[in-house]
Amino acid sequence: MVQIKDFAVEQWMDKYETTAKFNVAETCSASLSVRDLQTLSEDPSLHPLDDILDRKLTYGAIRGSEQLRTTLANLYSVRTPTPLPADNVLATAGAIQANFLLLYTLVGPGDHVICHYPTYQQLYSVPTSLGADVSLWKSKEAEGWKLDLDELKALIQPNTKLIILNNPQNPTGAIIPQETLDEIVEIARSSSIYIFCDEVYRPLFHSITPMDPEFPSSALSLGYERTIVTGSMSKAYSLAGIRVGWIASRDRSVIEACASVRDYTTISVSQLDDAVASYALAPTTIHALLRRNIELAKRNFAILDKFIESHRWACDWVKPRAGTTAFVRFNKMGKPVNDVTFCETLLERTGLMFVPGSLCFGNGEEFHGYVRIGYVCETQVLEDGLAALGEFLEEGYEDVPVVKKTAQA
């Protein structure tokens, strides 16, 4: 039997998210209905399901419809010398399946994997369960969650198969800047190592613009064939409920291998889901959709920033630059609070839901006092949740214990 660690963050979400009064743990941009999506379109007379209402609901296109894969390929072909072929994109049931499928296909016993950290637990627990040796490449909070390239070079072994990145990063909201990405590619190329970048929060950049030299392009545009990216409709596109994600690579053999392995799991993405995703990503809709979500992220980020600045006696952070999440540290007189107890007490007394960092991102040994906040929810939910948090910090914070001895990251 395969041994794999409990997926802490997903179990936490499953336990509490449907009953929380103020869910400020959700990592998707505030969700949309099909009707909402239609109103964003430049041609609202078109319905997202117009082309499918009379179609028989067979399995449909096994690898994703031609329309969906072509649209995605075009998005990855912007500012690249060679367009990405549609056949180099494979549709999946969300990015979580894309990530699992790719890791299951590429990684096995005897392989060594280097994983950007902290990050979504799936990215390092799955390779470990498959028999790989995993080294965590730890970003440095004191330097804005920066990655040290010399440390990457030191981590590489003769059997290193894969470097895993998450850009923008969950839970910190940090980015890997363009220059660093370029250098990672050169390091990987010198040893023929695959680069896998989970870009599920791309292109939700709220505190950096494409004019900034640090603005990161997709890893797929860096000119290295052994690069694979994953993405989905959930985070930046507000459509988690349709369960559409994808794997894309310049290396067609990777796509073919993943497609072959996927035959044993999900045969195809639902035709209904595929149709809604295709509609959302079409030129008539995508610009308004992203504008809506980037504006929401900017507005909510400013609200959260103001709250943290006025409660510096209890919390601090490295400001996120992209995505939907922030990693905020709560403390008392410099000592980190017990973040699990803090989150549980908040839920019980106020209905406000956060994600505890030490449980869900640090294996219990790191990130004591940290909570992940998903702040690109509906603005009213964030405002009401922070109001409840403010009252708790004034009236109930004294009941939350501190962690006296920690192994801080």
Side-chain angles (χ1 to χ4, degrees):
M1 181 178 177
V2 174
Q3 298 296 314
I4 190 167
K5 288 187 176 181
D6 289 344
F7 203 159
V9 68
E10 294 301 335
Q11 292 188 357
W12 182 272
M13 296 297 290
D14 179 55
K15 185 175 182 180
Y16 296 116
E17 67 178 329
T18 59
T19 57
K21 184 178 181 181
F22 308 113
N23 184 353
V24 191
E26 177 58 69
T27 56
C28 301
S29 300
S31 297
L32 292 167
S33 68
V34 171
R35 197 175 303 279
D36 292 334
L37 193 62
Q38 187 179 12
T39 63
L40 288 172
S41 174
E42 293 175 10
D43 187 356
S45 67
L46 296 176
H47 191 278
L49 298 178
D50 276 344
D51 292 336
I52 200 172
L53 290 176
D54 296 319
R55 190 186 307 167
K56 293 187 184 298
L57 294 178
T58 64
Y59 286 116
I62 300 302
R63 299 189 179 200
S65 70
E66 184 72 20
Q67 180 182 358
L68 176 61
R69 292 185 297 112
T70 297
T71 300
L72 287 167
N74 289 340
L75 291 175
Y76 284 115
S77 298
V78 176
R79 299 180 182 175
T80 58
T82 307
L84 183 73
D87 287 343
N88 285 49
V89 179
L90 179 67
T92 62
I96 195 165
Q97 188 197 45
N99 293 346
F100 189 95
L101 182 60
L102 178 65
L103 294 169
Y104 187 87
T105 301
L106 285 186
V107 176
D111 289 330
H112 174 243
V113 171
I114 298 170
C115 186
H116 182 189
Y117 181 86
T119 193
Y120 194 50
Q121 183 185 334
Q122 181 192 35
L123 298 180
Y124 52 88
S125 286
V126 170
T128 301
S129 75
L130 296 171
D133 176 27
V134 177
S135 296
L136 300 178
W137 184 20
K138 298 184 177 183
S139 53
K140 301 179 183 301
E141 182 186 19
E143 299 177 40
W145 299 109
K146 181 180 178 181
L147 288 166
D148 187 322
L149 292 163
D150 288 332
E151 288 185 9
L152 173 62
K153 294 174 185 177
L155 289 172
I156 291 175
Q157 303 175 13
N159 62 332
T160 301
K161 181 77 171 287
L162 186 65
I163 297 170
I164 301 174
L165 308 174
N166 182 202
N167 196 28
Q169 186 192 37
N170 172 16
T172 66
I175 62 164
I176 305 173
Q178 184 66 36
E179 183 179 4
T180 302
L181 285 175
D182 291 335
E183 294 188 52
I184 292 170
V185 165
E186 292 310 308
I187 292 168
R189 181 182 277 122
S190 67
S191 299
S192 296
I193 299 168
Y194 283 103
I195 294 174
F196 159 38
C197 191
D198 178 338
E199 295 183 343
V200 73
Y201 291 94
R202 183 180 180 85
L204 197 66
F205 297 95
H206 53 72
S207 297
I208 185 171
T209 72
M211 299 300 102
D212 191 310
E214 290 195 337
F215 187 88
S217 58
S218 169
L220 211 58
S221 67
L222 301 177
Y224 182 44
E225 186 177 73
R226 295 170 75 87
T227 299
I228 310 106
V229 301
T230 57
S232 91
M233 300 303 300
S234 299
K235 311 302 183 183
Y237 298 104
S238 300
L239 296 170
I242 64 171
R243 308 311 303 134
V244 173
W246 55 85
I247 305 170
S249 179
R250 292 279 173 183
D251 187 342
R252 178 70 178 277
S253 68
V254 169
I255 299 299
E256 293 302 317
C258 288
S260 180
V261 169
R262 198 189 64 170
D263 289 339
Y264 286 94
T265 57
T266 303
I267 294 175
S268 63
V269 170
S270 156
Q271 286 195 61
L272 299 173
D273 293 352
D274 188 306
V276 175
S278 297
Y279 182 96
L281 295 174
T284 50
T285 312
I286 188 172
H287 304 295
L289 175 56
L290 286 176
R291 184 166 56 250
R292 176 254 191 192
N293 287 351
I294 291 171
E295 289 174 356
L296 177 65
K298 288 180 176 179
R299 179 167 63 250
N300 288 7
F301 169 81
I303 292 168
L304 181 57
D305 186 25
K306 182 178 180 180
F307 180 90
I308 291 174
E309 287 301 320
S310 63
H311 293 80
R312 281 287 183 178
W313 57 272
C315 56
D316 60 90
W317 66 342
V318 174
K319 294 182 182 182
R321 303 180 76 184
T324 67
T325 63
F327 213 32
V328 180
R329 179 178 179 266
F330 285 83
N331 66 88
K332 291 181 177 180
M333 302 297 290
K335 293 182 179 180
V337 301
N338 183 316
D339 47 284
V340 176
T341 300
F342 176 52
C343 289
E344 290 174 340
T345 305
L346 267 179
L347 270 164
E348 179 182 347
R349 297 190 187 180
T350 72
L352 175 60
M353 182 180 176
F354 291 152
V355 170
S358 67
L359 175 67
C360 297
F361 295 97
N363 297 318
E365 298 300 322
E366 298 172 293
F367 308 122
H368 291 291
Y370 289 80
V371 303
R372 186 187 73 182
I373 298 176
Y375 58 90
V376 193
C377 50
E378 294 177 0
T379 300
Q380 192 65 54
V381 173
L382 178 65
E383 290 178 332
D384 291 346
L386 292 179
L389 174 61
E391 291 180 8
F392 177 82
L393 291 177
E394 295 293 340
E395 300 173 5
Y397 197 46
E398 62 183 22
D399 298 331
V400 179
V402 297
V403 178
K404 296 180 179 178
K405 293 182 180 181
T406 72
Q408 283 292 317

